[in-house]
Structure formats: C-alpha cells, structure tokens
Amino acid sequence: MTTQGPDDPTPWAEAMQAAALLAIDPAGLGGASLRAMPGPVRDAWLALLRGLLPAGTPWRRVPLAVGDSRLLGGLDLTATLQSGRPVAERGLLAEADGGVLVLAMAERVTANTAAHLAMALDTGEAIAERDGLALRAPARLAVVALDEGLAPEEAPPAALLERLAFRLDLHAIAPREAEGEAPDVAAARARLPAVTAGDDILVALCGTALALGIGTLRAPVLALRAARAAAALAGRDAVTEDDAALAARLVLGPRALVLPAEAPAEEPGSEAEQPAPEPPPDPGEEDDLPDPQALQDMILAAAAAAVPAHLLDGLKLGEAARSRTPGKAGAQKASPRRGRPIGVRAGEPRGGARLALVETLRAAAPWQRLRRRSAAPIAARPGEDMPRRIEIRPGEDTPRRIEIRREDLRIRRFRQRSETATIFAVDASGSAALHRLGEAKGAVELLLADCYVRRDKVALLAFRGTGAELLLPPTSSLVRAKRSLAGLPGGGGTPVAAALDAALALADAVRRKGQTPLLVMLTDGRANVARDGAGGRARAEAEALEAARALRAARVACVLVDVSPRPAEAGRRLAAEMGAKYLALPYADAATLSRAVKAEAA
C-alpha cells in the first residue's frame, strides 16, 4: 500500500471498510481480490467478512483443481448408478447463491474456471449443459479471490479481477494491527435500495477512471455501487463527496494504469484575461452544489493516493512491466502423464495416458438401463487389445453391474510449460564494443541469478569480424556463465546476417530439446559484413534483412535492443523484419537492461 499520511486511514482500516461495503452488497460489488499469504491477517479479514454477513449466508470454498461438474453442477454419479436413471446435482456456484465463494490460490486458477466465475458474476446464473443434462440455477454471489502470488505478475486472471470491486493487499499489515470494532451493517443493508446518487457523482467517477487510464466501464460502475453502500453505511439516503472519494480510493486507485496529469499552474497576471464572474444565484436556488470539476479533482486525488507503490515503479517501464517474466513465458505443451491438469477427453489409455475413471463412469452411467437390455459383451476384434464393451461388478452381494463401452473411455489431459532459453546475441564490433559487452555481461548475470527460481537458461552469442561465435551454450550455471563472459572479445566488422543465422540454428536446437527460445539481440543494426565475410554495406544489409525474415517465419520470440548512441532507422527496420520488439537503450546500465528485457520479452 502507499505511505500513509497523518490523516489517512491505515491499511487495515481500509480493508475493514472494504469488508463492510462488500457485506452490504455482495452480489452488486462482485467480491474482492485478497493478496496475502495464509496467516492470521488473512484469516482475520475473512472472519470479519463472514461475521458481517447475515446468519446462514452460504460460504463455500473452491479448490484449485475444481472440475466443471463440481463447479457448475452435473450428473450425480452415485445416485445415477443406484437409480439407473440420470440424477442431477448442484454445483458450488448454485450452492453459494446469495453468499460468498472463496477461491483458493486464485493466481493459479485456470482460464476455464475464471470464465465460468465471470459468467456467473455477469448473469447471476450457473449454466451447465453436460452429461446429457441442461441445468440452470440462480448464482447471485460474491467471489473472494485469495491471491498468494509472490511477484507482481502473479495475479488472478484479468477477466475475473475486472469483475471484483476491491483489490486489497494485506502484506504490509502486522498481526497486531488486524483488530478493530466491526461496524453494524444490518441497517445499511436495508437502506441500500433507497440510496440515490446524482449525475455529478457519476460523471466525476467516470472522469476519475479516465484520468487513471482505466478503459473499462465496469470500474466506475463498481465504484458507484461502493459509494451507494458507503452512503447507506453512514445512514444517508444520497451519495456525498466523501462516499465517492472512499469508493474511488478503494475501487479505482488499485486499478490505475497511468498517473493522473497535473493541471498547469496559472501564470501571474492572468486575472485580467479571466471571464467575468457569473452573478450569484437567487436565494431560492440551490447554491450548495460543488463545482463539477472541483468534485472530480477531489475524487481523483483520493484515488491517486491509493495507487500501490509497486505500480508506480512499473509505470516507469510501461504496461509490459506488469506482464510475466521470460522464465515464465515458456510455451505450453500437452503431456500425457505430467503437468497441470486441464480436463479430460474421450480416448483410450494408450501411450502412457492416464484413464480418468470417475469421468468414464460418469459418461457411461446415463445409458445403463438401455445397455442392460442388450446382448452379451462383444469380444475384441482381430488386432484389438480391448473389447468394445466392459462390465464391472460393484460387489459380490449385488447383481448390478456397470457396463462401459469404448466410447465411454476418458483420459486425463495435462499441460506443461516448457523452459525458456534466453539467447543473447551481442554485437561485439566497433570502438564502443567494450561498453555494450559490459552491459550484456551484467544483464546475463542478473538474469542467471533468477534462473533457479524461474528454471530458465541463458546462452550467449557474440558476432564481430566475419562471423558469429557461441561463447556460452544454454545453461543455468552462474559460475560457468561468468567464466565465459570474462573473456568476451570485441572489435571488427558487423556480420548481422551471420549472427541471425547462428541464432536461428541455436533456437531450433533449443526447440528440439522441448524448450522455448527467446532471442535478445544487442546491436545498432548497421550491418557491413555479408555471410561469406566480404565487405559491402548494401549486400550485408540485404542479407541481414533476409535472415531476419527467416527468424520471423520460424516464430522465434525476439527483442532487439538498439545500443547505438543515437538510435537510427536501421535498428527499427531490422526489428520490424524480425518481428521483434524494439527497445532503444543507448545509455542503459546492466540493471536497466535486465529489467527492460524482462518487461519486453514477457
């Protein structure tokens, strides 16, 4: 959270205010993202919210690996097998209707689960069409997403965050600070439907969201609902400036994408150029309404004070600074036995694939009554290692059997994220090579320091004279990298085409190992040596652009860092042909280069 002034509420006080507003209008506000590790502070906030809700309010927890059938509802397998006919069961969304759904480890939730939660928040219904059933159940609820991410880029899916009114960070709160008297929200909950908000409040909230770079209308809508809940909590029937400021601080401030621009200072002597003041209104007219611009400025100042400190640092590097780091941007690939579960599909358990027994039984259960009337089991065809129909007896004391056919078989699907191998291609030519090599050495060492956590690898290519040389094969060894970087030579011509060819060959080798290549090229883009080592700028530039197009055709992720003192068109043109992100850092040090590569390559 931001640094608190003497009159500003403490982080825990704001967290208590958010819990109170959420308890007043859970379905309207959507919920909250709670960024905190498991501990007494998080438990205290959850206990506070649950205590503010009416007695008997549904409170359900969603595990990380929840399936669609448990979340949305579907076939009750046990009841279906016992009765011999399809029996539906309610899902967690329907069970939490009118209450709160607590989402565990929200930063790791799948896009599929996030989409189902987002649809329920939008429509107020849980819709499921699966297992031969079509189910619709009311699901007006709030979601509390427990975010246990350590890095800023580890966050719940954006589609889910957009629909939650509050984003609370409890990391800076000590356990001894997590105490206070809970407000009485019962009367506010009854007063809420009668609370009104003027057009000036709505205009000011929309203007504040626009000034903070928030491009969605959901944010000011949620802020307006929070302002109405704040007014109801204060015992008012209309939203005031203080209510709007509180809503902007809690809802809009944590969503800020840009810093609000400061108004230009008035020059001395400009009073004469100002228009004449309007005559005072009649005594019978309303003269106590705030100026619309002054109201928006006040609400904007309140929202700007709540911008998180880590976001201010990220804004200096742009929007990409809040995306994933290179080590976590590896391509995802399917795996038959290991990785993150992503559901099931129809198929036979061959080639190491795992049989999904429960899903197989679920697919077979609705057809048992019809299958019992059919003939005996069909034997395997010639060349088949499995009959097309299988019978399973539940036990010796009952004649009931479960008949499973080939089309019922389901296998589990997994997805792995491959390692990322960052290939540094460093231009070691020219008189300024020592400066560029120093930056590259420092950047590689900084990236290697995090390899043990992100599980990525780093390689180093140097090109000068008539060709390119692989100085450091893909490795995560910091000691080996430092030894290779220590003797990196410099000077000579600029064989850009040879460097791109070598980078493409290394990227192909990386891919064959199941890794994801990422090319970071440090050069000014001014090629003057052709592939065969001959001079000639025109031919060298043409071959460099041809090699760049080959990289783009191979779909290798690239970042071109223009290290020339004055970035020119050559670097931009080469980056465009490579399909690379262009970054001009003529005077960057190693730390700045490392941060920029992480931000641009994610």
Side-chain angles (χ1 to χ4, degrees):
M1 301 293 289
T2 55
T3 303
Q4 301 295 326
D7 299 328
D8 294 335
T10 64
W12 178 250
E14 288 199 340
M16 291 183 63
Q17 289 176 325
L21 300 183
L22 185 58
I24 294 172
D25 188 13
L29 293 174
S33 172
L34 201 62
R35 192 172 182 86
M37 298 302 292
V41 178
R42 192 178 79 174
D43 293 344
W45 192 90
L46 293 175
L48 171 66
L49 175 62
R50 192 166 189 178
L52 291 174
L53 296 171
T57 299
W59 184 279
R60 297 291 185 273
R61 287 185 173 270
V62 181
L64 175 63
V66 64
D68 289 352
S69 59
R70 183 67 186 106
L71 184 65
L72 303 175
L75 193 70
D76 188 333
L77 183 58
T78 303
T80 299
L81 294 177
Q82 290 178 350
S83 62
R85 59 182 179 82
V87 178
E89 67 173 347
R90 302 177 69 200
L92 285 172
L93 291 176
E95 293 176 2
D97 179 41
V100 175
L101 205 63
V102 181
L103 182 61
M105 302 180 71
E107 77 283 357
R108 298 178 58 188
V109 71
T110 62
N112 181 61
T113 301
H116 291 318
L117 293 174
M119 179 175 289
L121 292 173
D122 288 342
T123 63
E125 285 186 321
I127 303 173
E129 296 182 358
R130 52 183 293 116
D131 302 329
L133 302 172
L135 307 176
R136 301 179 73 96
R140 289 184 51 81
L141 48 84
V143 175
V144 176
L146 303 182
D147 181 4
E148 301 177 6
L150 298 177
E153 65 272 7
E154 294 178 344
L160 179 60
L161 280 180
E162 186 181 351
R163 291 162 172 80
L164 308 183
F166 306 115
R167 301 181 184 182
L168 306 176
D169 192 341
L170 307 185
H171 280 120
I173 302 176
R176 64 178 181 277
E177 300 173 358
E179 56 184 15
E181 184 177 356
D184 185 8
V185 299
R189 194 178 293 112
R191 186 181 296 109
L192 179 63
V195 176
T196 59
D199 292 342
D200 55 337
I201 297 293
L202 180 58
V203 171
L205 290 174
C206 291
T208 300
L210 184 62
L212 295 175
I214 303 173
T216 173
L217 288 176
R218 285 193 177 92
V221 169
L222 291 174
L224 180 62
R225 293 174 181 173
R228 293 180 64 245
L233 183 62
R236 293 186 284 265
D237 294 330
V239 176
T240 64
E241 301 176 13
D242 295 336
D243 302 326
L246 175 62
R249 189 167 66 247
L250 294 178
V251 178
L252 300 181
R255 285 174 160 81
L257 297 179
V258 299
L259 295 178
E262 297 182 0
E266 296 184 0
E267 298 181 358
S270 60
E271 291 81 358
E273 302 178 0
Q274 298 294 331
E278 297 181 359
D282 296 336
E285 296 181 359
E286 296 182 359
D287 55 356
D288 56 347
L289 292 178
D291 178 66
Q293 186 60 42
L295 176 61
Q296 179 174 328
D297 292 342
M298 185 269 293
I299 295 177
L300 180 58
V307 176
H310 66 82
L311 181 60
L312 297 178
D313 298 333
L315 290 176
K316 299 177 182 178
L317 288 176
E319 177 67 21
R322 294 183 295 277
S323 59
R324 295 179 297 181
T325 56
K328 295 185 179 178
Q332 292 185 346
K333 60 180 182 180
S335 175
R337 296 189 61 84
R338 64 186 62 181
R340 190 173 185 177
I342 57 173
V344 299
R345 68 173 179 87
E348 299 178 15
R350 294 178 176 175
R354 298 182 182 181
L355 176 67
L357 179 59
V358 175
E359 287 76 9
T360 299
L361 294 176
R362 193 182 299 276
W367 313 102
Q368 294 305 300
R369 179 174 294 181
L370 295 176
R371 291 178 181 178
R372 292 191 190 104
R373 301 174 184 173
S374 61
I378 302 175
R381 293 178 178 176
E384 289 185 343
D385 57 358
M386 182 182 299
R388 285 181 292 156
R389 187 172 64 193
I390 305 173
E391 294 185 357
I392 301 177
R393 294 180 181 272
E396 297 294 337
D397 55 345
T398 174
R400 188 181 300 278
R401 60 183 62 177
I402 304 171
E403 183 179 319
I404 300 176
R405 297 185 179 179
R406 181 183 295 273
E407 59 267 22
D408 302 327
L409 297 178
R410 299 293 185 268
I411 59 175
R412 296 197 178 278
R413 297 187 299 157
F414 300 90
R415 180 177 296 167
Q416 285 182 303
R417 191 177 293 278
S418 62
E419 281 185 329
T420 298
T422 304
I423 304 171
F424 277 84
V426 183
D427 185 352
S429 63
S431 58
L434 293 178
H435 297 83
R436 292 196 292 267
L437 295 184
E439 294 167 3
K441 291 177 183 180
V444 172
E445 291 184 5
L446 287 177
L447 290 175
L448 276 173
D450 296 331
C451 283
Y452 301 102
V453 177
R454 294 197 304 270
R455 298 180 182 178
D456 61 359
K457 296 183 181 298
V458 174
L460 180 62
L461 274 169
F463 58 99
R464 67 186 184 94
T466 60
E469 180 183 1
L470 179 61
L471 298 180
L472 179 67
T475 180
S476 57
S477 172
L478 187 59
V479 175
R480 185 181 178 189
K482 289 182 177 180
R483 290 176 180 174
S484 300
L485 291 171
L488 187 59
T494 310
V496 176
L500 294 178
D501 291 341
L504 178 58
L506 183 56
D508 289 339
V510 166
R511 280 179 171 169
R512 286 195 297 269
K513 294 180 180 179
Q515 301 170 344
T516 301
L518 167 66
L519 174 60
V520 179
M521 190 171 189
L522 291 85
T523 182
D524 55 9
R526 299 167 183 170
N528 56 20
V529 177
R531 283 191 174 103
D532 59 0
R537 187 174 297 274
R539 179 185 170 192
E541 289 181 352
E543 291 185 354
L545 295 179
E546 179 185 354
R549 287 190 285 270
L551 266 171
R552 183 176 60 182
R555 296 188 177 182
V556 177
C558 303
V559 176
L560 191 142
V561 182
D562 194 337
V563 294
S564 58
R566 294 182 180 179
E569 186 62 26
R572 297 181 184 274
R573 184 169 62 252
L574 184 62
E577 294 295 334
M578 293 170 59
K581 297 181 180 179
Y582 178 81
L583 186 63
L585 291 178
Y587 304 109
D589 57 10
T592 304
L593 178 58
S594 177
R595 289 196 301 268
V597 168
K598 290 181 182 180
E600 293 291 333

